């Protein structure tokens, strides 16, 4: 396999559940060695995409390859090199965590058990209780250990931090960074923008079954509208703030300026610095607002 090959490549990948849309015409590439975030609200089609890639469900249109192998014909070979955390974890409830890891590890073979122990301890994993008695967060941690335990070439993690407490989330982000440093490729889905921002190189945004865009975080943010509120020591003239590139919807009330900014804040901040600034409040764009930016751009681009 060529080292430059895309780890994932999909072509018009489509899945309908009967008449119900799962995903439609998704064209996606995940590059070797990157951490790719698959971002979208609940019901957007994240799990559908992942399950199709791993051949747990079959596409109703289009096709996909993982490691250059066709997902329909080569799923067994693909699974050998994938670590997978499923969205709604349903594990063998009667086993203890330790039993489960032993069982899965023996199926795979070639496991470094010292590494597994280290993983379990880093994630503070409850290994001696029956899985059916574990909280969602503890199941999730076990799910993560089994996804990472064989140091797979490709990690596919469906909403991996759901149910993890903040400390464990930090540990998880460290695991992802280490995986990237080891040259592993990561595909992780999430509905939380700050989370993918933290760890991902690129993100794809999916909504209502359609992949809206694939970008680096920097580019996404530079397209997004940010709300800014600047408080000054005294009244300011509104006209000085009109006509600055990227700045719109300017409202001035005595010593307060409110506006929307697209892209760099630099020019606005330099104009503001001509007056005594008391406070600057910046409202970071939410996932929904970034979606809307893209939707509006789409509309504007319609000829
Ligand atoms: N087994 C199924 N049968 C019918 N519709 C489904 C099934 N699984 C998912 N869907 C629908 O497909 C769409 C995408 O769901 P899903 O891939 O689970 O989204 P996400 O993982 O982003 O929350 C939703 O509208 C959902 O209701
Ligand atoms: Mg899901």
């Amino acid at each position: 396999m060529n080292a430059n090959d895309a780890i994932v490549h999909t072509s018009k990948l489509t899945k309908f559940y009967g008449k119900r849309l799962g995903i439609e015409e998704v064209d996606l590439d995940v590059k070797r060695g990157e951490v790719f975030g698959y971002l979208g609200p609940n019901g957007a089609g994240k799990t559908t995409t992942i399950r199709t890639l791993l051949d747990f469900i079959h596409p109703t249109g289009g096709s996909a390859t993982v490691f250059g192998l066709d997902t329909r014909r080569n799923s067994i070979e693909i699974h050998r090199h994938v670590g997978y955390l499923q969205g709604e974890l349903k594990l063998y409830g009667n086993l203890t965590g330790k039993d489960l890891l032993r069982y899965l590890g023996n199926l795979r073979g070639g496991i470094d058990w010292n590494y597994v122990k280290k993983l379990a301890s880093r994630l503070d994993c409850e290994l001696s209780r029956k899985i059916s008695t574990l909280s969602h967060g503890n199941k999730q941690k076990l799910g993560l250990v089994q996804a990472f335990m064989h140091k797979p070439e490709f990690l596919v993690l469906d909403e991996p931090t759901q149910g993890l407490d903040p400390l464990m989330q930090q540990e998880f982000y460290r695991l992802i960074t280490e995986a990237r440093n080891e040259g592993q490729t990561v595909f992780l889905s999430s509905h939380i923008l700050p989370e993918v921002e933290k760890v991902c190189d690129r993100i794809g945004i999916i909504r209502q079954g359609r992949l809206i865009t694939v970008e680096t975080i920097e580019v996404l943010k530079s397209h997004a509208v940010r709300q800014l509120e600047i408080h000054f020591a005294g009244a300011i003239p509104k006209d000085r703030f009109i006509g600055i590139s990227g700045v719109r919807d300017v409202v001035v009330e005595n010593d307060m300026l409110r506006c929307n900014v697209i892209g760099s804040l630099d020019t606005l901040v330099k104009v503001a610095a001509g007056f005594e600034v008391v406070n600057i409040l910046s409202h970071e764009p939410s996932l929904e607002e970034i979606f809307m930016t893209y939707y509006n751009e789409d509309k504007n681009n319609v000829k």
Side-chain angles (χ1 to χ4, degrees), residues 92-110:
Y92 312 75
N94 269 329
L95 298 184
T96 65
K98 200 189 266 169
D99 292 340
L100 177 78
L101 293 179
R102 273 229 184 90
Y103 169 69
L104 295 175
N106 288 335
L107 276 183
R108 288 205 179 267

PDB file of all heavy atoms in Angstrom, residues 92-110:
ATOM      1  N   TYR A  92     -20.687  -7.168  26.016  1.00  0.00           N
ATOM      2  CA  TYR A  92     -21.107  -8.429  26.615  1.00  0.00           C
ATOM      3  C   TYR A  92     -21.327  -8.231  28.112  1.00  0.00           C
ATOM      4  O   TYR A  92     -20.383  -8.307  28.901  1.00  0.00           O
ATOM      5  CB  TYR A  92     -20.026  -9.474  26.374  1.00  0.00           C
ATOM      6  CG  TYR A  92     -19.557  -9.535  24.947  1.00  0.00           C
ATOM      7  CD1 TYR A  92     -18.719  -8.558  24.399  1.00  0.00           C
ATOM      8  CD2 TYR A  92     -19.964 -10.594  24.118  1.00  0.00           C
ATOM      9  CE1 TYR A  92     -18.301  -8.621  23.082  1.00  0.00           C
ATOM     10  CE2 TYR A  92     -19.551 -10.658  22.800  1.00  0.00           C
ATOM     11  CZ  TYR A  92     -18.714  -9.673  22.293  1.00  0.00           C
ATOM     12  OH  TYR A  92     -18.306  -9.734  20.991  1.00  0.00           O
ATOM     13  N   GLY A  93     -22.575  -7.994  28.524  1.00  0.00           N
ATOM     14  CA  GLY A  93     -22.889  -7.571  29.883  1.00  0.00           C
ATOM     15  C   GLY A  93     -22.487  -8.526  30.982  1.00  0.00           C
ATOM     16  O   GLY A  93     -22.186  -8.105  32.103  1.00  0.00           O
ATOM     17  N   ASN A  94     -22.443  -9.816  30.686  1.00  0.00           N
ATOM     18  CA  ASN A  94     -22.156 -10.792  31.734  1.00  0.00           C
ATOM     19  C   ASN A  94     -20.673 -10.925  32.041  1.00  0.00           C
ATOM     20  O   ASN A  94     -20.299 -11.487  33.060  1.00  0.00           O
ATOM     21  CB  ASN A  94     -22.699 -12.169  31.337  1.00  0.00           C
ATOM     22  CG  ASN A  94     -24.117 -12.320  31.856  1.00  0.00           C
ATOM     23  OD1 ASN A  94     -24.457 -11.745  32.897  1.00  0.00           O
ATOM     24  ND2 ASN A  94     -24.929 -13.062  31.134  1.00  0.00           N
ATOM     25  N   LEU A  95     -19.842 -10.429  31.126  1.00  0.00           N
ATOM     26  CA  LEU A  95     -18.398 -10.508  31.355  1.00  0.00           C
ATOM     27  C   LEU A  95     -17.950  -9.342  32.233  1.00  0.00           C
ATOM     28  O   LEU A  95     -18.602  -8.301  32.282  1.00  0.00           O
ATOM     29  CB  LEU A  95     -17.650 -10.417  30.018  1.00  0.00           C
ATOM     30  CG  LEU A  95     -17.890 -11.511  28.977  1.00  0.00           C
ATOM     31  CD1 LEU A  95     -16.980 -11.287  27.781  1.00  0.00           C
ATOM     32  CD2 LEU A  95     -17.658 -12.882  29.565  1.00  0.00           C
ATOM     33  N   THR A  96     -16.808  -9.523  32.900  1.00  0.00           N
ATOM     34  CA  THR A  96     -16.161  -8.369  33.530  1.00  0.00           C
ATOM     35  C   THR A  96     -15.337  -7.667  32.455  1.00  0.00           C
ATOM     36  O   THR A  96     -15.091  -8.233  31.382  1.00  0.00           O
ATOM     37  CB  THR A  96     -15.199  -8.804  34.659  1.00  0.00           C
ATOM     38  OG1 THR A  96     -14.138  -9.559  34.061  1.00  0.00           O
ATOM     39  CG2 THR A  96     -15.912  -9.625  35.716  1.00  0.00           C
ATOM     40  N   GLY A  97     -14.910  -6.453  32.767  1.00  0.00           N
ATOM     41  CA  GLY A  97     -14.078  -5.712  31.825  1.00  0.00           C
ATOM     42  C   GLY A  97     -12.832  -6.492  31.446  1.00  0.00           C
ATOM     43  O   GLY A  97     -12.450  -6.563  30.280  1.00  0.00           O
ATOM     44  N   LYS A  98     -12.217  -7.106  32.469  1.00  0.00           N
ATOM     45  CA  LYS A  98     -10.986  -7.860  32.227  1.00  0.00           C
ATOM     46  C   LYS A  98     -11.247  -9.031  31.282  1.00  0.00           C
ATOM     47  O   LYS A  98     -10.487  -9.268  30.338  1.00  0.00           O
ATOM     48  CB  LYS A  98     -10.452  -8.380  33.576  1.00  0.00           C
ATOM     49  CG  LYS A  98      -8.979  -8.735  33.528  1.00  0.00           C
ATOM     50  CD  LYS A  98      -8.556  -9.452  34.789  1.00  0.00           C
ATOM     51  CE  LYS A  98      -8.002  -8.483  35.807  1.00  0.00           C
ATOM     52  NZ  LYS A  98      -7.809  -9.081  37.133  1.00  0.00           N
ATOM     53  N   ASP A  99     -12.353  -9.763  31.544  1.00  0.00           N
ATOM     54  CA  ASP A  99     -12.715 -10.902  30.668  1.00  0.00           C
ATOM     55  C   ASP A  99     -12.876 -10.431  29.226  1.00  0.00           C
ATOM     56  O   ASP A  99     -12.409 -11.084  28.289  1.00  0.00           O
ATOM     57  CB  ASP A  99     -14.058 -11.514  31.098  1.00  0.00           C
ATOM     58  CG  ASP A  99     -13.953 -12.201  32.446  1.00  0.00           C
ATOM     59  OD1 ASP A  99     -12.823 -12.535  32.846  1.00  0.00           O
ATOM     60  OD2 ASP A  99     -15.004 -12.372  33.092  1.00  0.00           O
ATOM     61  N   LEU A 100     -13.560  -9.317  29.077  1.00  0.00           N
ATOM     62  CA  LEU A 100     -13.837  -8.830  27.724  1.00  0.00           C
ATOM     63  C   LEU A 100     -12.538  -8.501  26.993  1.00  0.00           C
ATOM     64  O   LEU A 100     -12.339  -8.897  25.837  1.00  0.00           O
ATOM     65  CB  LEU A 100     -14.723  -7.578  27.763  1.00  0.00           C
ATOM     66  CG  LEU A 100     -14.974  -7.004  26.374  1.00  0.00           C
ATOM     67  CD1 LEU A 100     -16.027  -7.816  25.630  1.00  0.00           C
ATOM     68  CD2 LEU A 100     -15.373  -5.537  26.414  1.00  0.00           C
ATOM     69  N   LEU A 101     -11.646  -7.792  27.678  1.00  0.00           N
ATOM     70  CA  LEU A 101     -10.389  -7.407  27.036  1.00  0.00           C
ATOM     71  C   LEU A 101      -9.575  -8.650  26.673  1.00  0.00           C
ATOM     72  O   LEU A 101      -8.984  -8.735  25.600  1.00  0.00           O
ATOM     73  CB  LEU A 101      -9.588  -6.471  27.935  1.00  0.00           C
ATOM     74  CG  LEU A 101     -10.228  -5.086  28.164  1.00  0.00           C
ATOM     75  CD1 LEU A 101      -9.368  -4.252  29.096  1.00  0.00           C
ATOM     76  CD2 LEU A 101     -10.470  -4.358  26.848  1.00  0.00           C
ATOM     77  N   ARG A 102      -9.551  -9.647  27.593  1.00  0.00           N
ATOM     78  CA  ARG A 102      -8.847 -10.905  27.298  1.00  0.00           C
ATOM     79  C   ARG A 102      -9.417 -11.568  26.064  1.00  0.00           C
ATOM     80  O   ARG A 102      -8.699 -11.989  25.173  1.00  0.00           O
ATOM     81  CB  ARG A 102      -9.021 -11.875  28.463  1.00  0.00           C
ATOM     82  CG  ARG A 102      -8.002 -11.683  29.469  1.00  0.00           C
ATOM     83  CD  ARG A 102      -7.312 -12.985  29.908  1.00  0.00           C
ATOM     84  NE  ARG A 102      -6.422 -12.554  30.957  1.00  0.00           N
ATOM     85  CZ  ARG A 102      -6.772 -12.509  32.241  1.00  0.00           C
ATOM     86  NH1 ARG A 102      -7.930 -12.978  32.635  1.00  0.00           N
ATOM     87  NH2 ARG A 102      -5.950 -12.032  33.125  1.00  0.00           N
ATOM     88  N   TYR A 103     -10.752 -11.636  26.053  1.00  0.00           N
ATOM     89  CA  TYR A 103     -11.442 -12.314  24.955  1.00  0.00           C
ATOM     90  C   TYR A 103     -11.127 -11.627  23.619  1.00  0.00           C
ATOM     91  O   TYR A 103     -10.691 -12.258  22.659  1.00  0.00           O
ATOM     92  CB  TYR A 103     -12.950 -12.297  25.246  1.00  0.00           C
ATOM     93  CG  TYR A 103     -13.817 -12.729  24.098  1.00  0.00           C
ATOM     94  CD1 TYR A 103     -13.823 -14.058  23.669  1.00  0.00           C
ATOM     95  CD2 TYR A 103     -14.646 -11.814  23.445  1.00  0.00           C
ATOM     96  CE1 TYR A 103     -14.619 -14.455  22.605  1.00  0.00           C
ATOM     97  CE2 TYR A 103     -15.446 -12.209  22.385  1.00  0.00           C
ATOM     98  CZ  TYR A 103     -15.427 -13.531  21.972  1.00  0.00           C
ATOM     99  OH  TYR A 103     -16.213 -13.917  20.926  1.00  0.00           O
ATOM    100  N   LEU A 104     -11.309 -10.291  23.592  1.00  0.00           N
ATOM    101  CA  LEU A 104     -11.077  -9.562  22.340  1.00  0.00           C
ATOM    102  C   LEU A 104      -9.598  -9.600  21.948  1.00  0.00           C
ATOM    103  O   LEU A 104      -9.256  -9.751  20.777  1.00  0.00           O
ATOM    104  CB  LEU A 104     -11.542  -8.107  22.465  1.00  0.00           C
ATOM    105  CG  LEU A 104     -13.050  -7.916  22.660  1.00  0.00           C
ATOM    106  CD1 LEU A 104     -13.375  -6.448  22.894  1.00  0.00           C
ATOM    107  CD2 LEU A 104     -13.816  -8.441  21.437  1.00  0.00           C
ATOM    108  N   GLY A 105      -8.738  -9.500  22.964  1.00  0.00           N
ATOM    109  CA  GLY A 105      -7.299  -9.515  22.697  1.00  0.00           C
ATOM    110  C   GLY A 105      -6.855 -10.853  22.121  1.00  0.00           C
ATOM    111  O   GLY A 105      -6.046 -10.896  21.195  1.00  0.00           O
ATOM    112  N   ASN A 106      -7.404 -11.939  22.671  1.00  0.00           N
ATOM    113  CA  ASN A 106      -7.025 -13.257  22.161  1.00  0.00           C
ATOM    114  C   ASN A 106      -7.544 -13.484  20.749  1.00  0.00           C
ATOM    115  O   ASN A 106      -6.903 -14.148  19.937  1.00  0.00           O
ATOM    116  CB  ASN A 106      -7.525 -14.359  23.094  1.00  0.00           C
ATOM    117  CG  ASN A 106      -6.718 -14.377  24.382  1.00  0.00           C
ATOM    118  OD1 ASN A 106      -5.565 -13.924  24.401  1.00  0.00           O
ATOM    119  ND2 ASN A 106      -7.319 -14.862  25.457  1.00  0.00           N
ATOM    120  N   LEU A 107      -8.729 -12.917  20.461  1.00  0.00           N
ATOM    121  CA  LEU A 107      -9.240 -13.019  19.097  1.00  0.00           C
ATOM    122  C   LEU A 107      -8.261 -12.364  18.124  1.00  0.00           C
ATOM    123  O   LEU A 107      -7.986 -12.880  17.053  1.00  0.00           O
ATOM    124  CB  LEU A 107     -10.588 -12.289  18.975  1.00  0.00           C
ATOM    125  CG  LEU A 107     -11.842 -13.038  19.386  1.00  0.00           C
ATOM    126  CD1 LEU A 107     -13.067 -12.174  19.130  1.00  0.00           C
ATOM    127  CD2 LEU A 107     -11.965 -14.355  18.600  1.00  0.00           C
ATOM    128  N   ARG A 108      -7.776 -11.201  18.514  1.00  0.00           N
ATOM    129  CA  ARG A 108      -6.884 -10.469  17.626  1.00  0.00           C
ATOM    130  C   ARG A 108      -5.492 -11.073  17.593  1.00  0.00           C
ATOM    131  O   ARG A 108      -4.849 -11.134  16.552  1.00  0.00           O
ATOM    132  CB  ARG A 108      -6.776  -9.013  18.072  1.00  0.00           C
ATOM    133  CG  ARG A 108      -8.030  -8.204  17.795  1.00  0.00           C
ATOM    134  CD  ARG A 108      -7.696  -6.729  17.682  1.00  0.00           C
ATOM    135  NE  ARG A 108      -8.857  -5.923  17.395  1.00  0.00           N
ATOM    136  CZ  ARG A 108      -9.241  -5.578  16.170  1.00  0.00           C
ATOM    137  NH1 ARG A 108      -8.550  -5.972  15.127  1.00  0.00           N
ATOM    138  NH2 ARG A 108     -10.312  -4.836  15.987  1.00  0.00           N
ATOM    139  N   GLY A 109      -5.012 -11.475  18.761  1.00  0.00           N
ATOM    140  CA  GLY A 109      -3.647 -12.005  18.856  1.00  0.00           C
ATOM    141  C   GLY A 109      -2.611 -10.887  18.836  1.00  0.00           C
ATOM    142  O   GLY A 109      -2.906  -9.748  18.468  1.00  0.00           O
ATOM    143  N   GLY A 110      -1.412 -11.218  19.272  1.00  0.00           N
ATOM    144  CA  GLY A 110      -0.302 -10.270  19.205  1.00  0.00           C
ATOM    145  C   GLY A 110      -0.467  -9.034  20.062  1.00  0.00           C
ATOM    146  O   GLY A 110       0.069  -7.978  19.738  1.00  0.00           O
TER     147      GLY A 110
END
